[in-house]
Amino acid sequence: MSGPYPPQYSPPTGYPPQQYPPGYQGPPQSGNPWGAPPPVKPKRGCFGCLLRGCLVLVVLVIAMSVGGYFAIQNGLITPNMVLNLIGIGPATVQIDNFRDDKVTVDVLQTGSDVIDVGAQPSETPEPFETTKEIGALDITSLDVPEAGRYRLTITAAGKAVATCTMPVKSGDRIQIVLLPKPSLITRNDDTPSTGSELVLGQSSLCR
């Protein structure tokens, strides 16, 4: 031994070489013993989601507008249907005169369920009023403009035939059948539970 340093170590000889199973590749050579970290997914911004949502909403609005326009042009949707959807549309009263003489029907609005937000306290809206003459064996339909209460007075040759003050809802279809005696009334083709509900003047529709 020469010098102050110990001799370099050399492994002993005579040991068999280390054996590895087939396919063994050994430990990773990188500095991270656990392998590479998983890739980080990029975060989606809120602006992109909001933009896509706005685009979908705009497309839906355009599609509904175009579809509504063509439906109105073809008569599939009428302005009265739209008004009835929001509860301020007209109602229809059909009067079938099955008598053998002419009758006169006076319709007067006695109350309204529609609130005019822009009206001043001193303003009083004009009530709806109309008069119809219906010949014998004739049928007439009239529209009342809004929900509310209406008084029908039916006369023949100056004599009262029937009266009815009825609450009318938007979109109602009221049918009155004038017979020699008695006259009948129905609403929206509903079948009454009792016979008196059909009689004009006795029905709850006239209260």
Side-chain angles (χ1 to χ4, degrees):
M1 179 175 63
S2 62
Y5 301 101
Q8 185 178 3
Y9 173 79
S10 60
T13 59
Y15 288 92
Q18 188 174 3
Q19 301 293 326
Y20 296 99
Y24 179 77
Q25 298 180 358
Q29 300 301 321
S30 62
N32 186 359
W34 303 106
V40 179
K41 296 183 178 180
K43 296 182 179 180
R44 297 181 179 178
C46 296
F47 179 76
C49 296
L50 181 62
L51 179 60
R52 285 189 292 271
C54 291
L55 290 176
V56 172
L57 180 60
V58 170
V59 172
L60 289 177
V61 170
I62 294 175
M64 293 177 62
S65 300
V66 173
Y69 172 79
F70 282 104
I72 292 175
Q73 290 295 319
N74 296 325
L76 300 178
I77 298 177
T78 63
N80 287 344
M81 291 180 182
V82 178
L83 293 175
N84 287 334
L85 287 176
I86 57 179
I88 60 174
T92 302
V93 179
Q94 176 180 311
I95 301 175
D96 306 337
N97 183 17
F98 291 160
R99 295 166 55 94
D100 56 2
D101 54 354
K102 181 177 65 175
V103 298
T104 301
V105 179
D106 295 316
V107 181
L108 176 63
Q109 184 179 11
T110 61
S112 175
D113 292 343
V114 178
I115 300 176
D116 188 356
V117 178
Q120 299 298 324
S122 59
E123 296 179 358
T124 302
E126 291 292 332
F128 173 78
E129 185 176 7
T130 186
T131 300
K132 292 285 186 179
E133 290 188 354
I134 308 174
L137 304 178
D138 198 2
I139 296 175
T140 297
S141 294
L142 57 94
D143 292 333
V144 294
E146 61 185 21
R149 297 184 64 83
Y150 294 84
R151 183 171 70 243
L152 274 70
T153 304
I154 304 172
T155 58
K159 297 180 179 180
V161 174
T163 59
C164 178
T165 301
M166 56 186 179
V168 177
K169 297 180 181 179
S170 176
D172 273 351
R173 302 183 310 277
I174 298 174
Q175 182 180 20
I176 297 175
V177 180
L178 301 179
L179 301 172
K181 192 176 181 180
S183 298
L184 309 177
I185 182 172
T186 58
R187 182 174 64 185
N188 300 331
D189 300 325
D190 293 338
T191 302
S193 57
T194 60
S196 60
E197 281 294 307
L198 277 172
V199 179
L200 183 65
Q202 299 182 16
S203 172
S204 60
L205 299 178
C206 295
R207 298 174 187 173

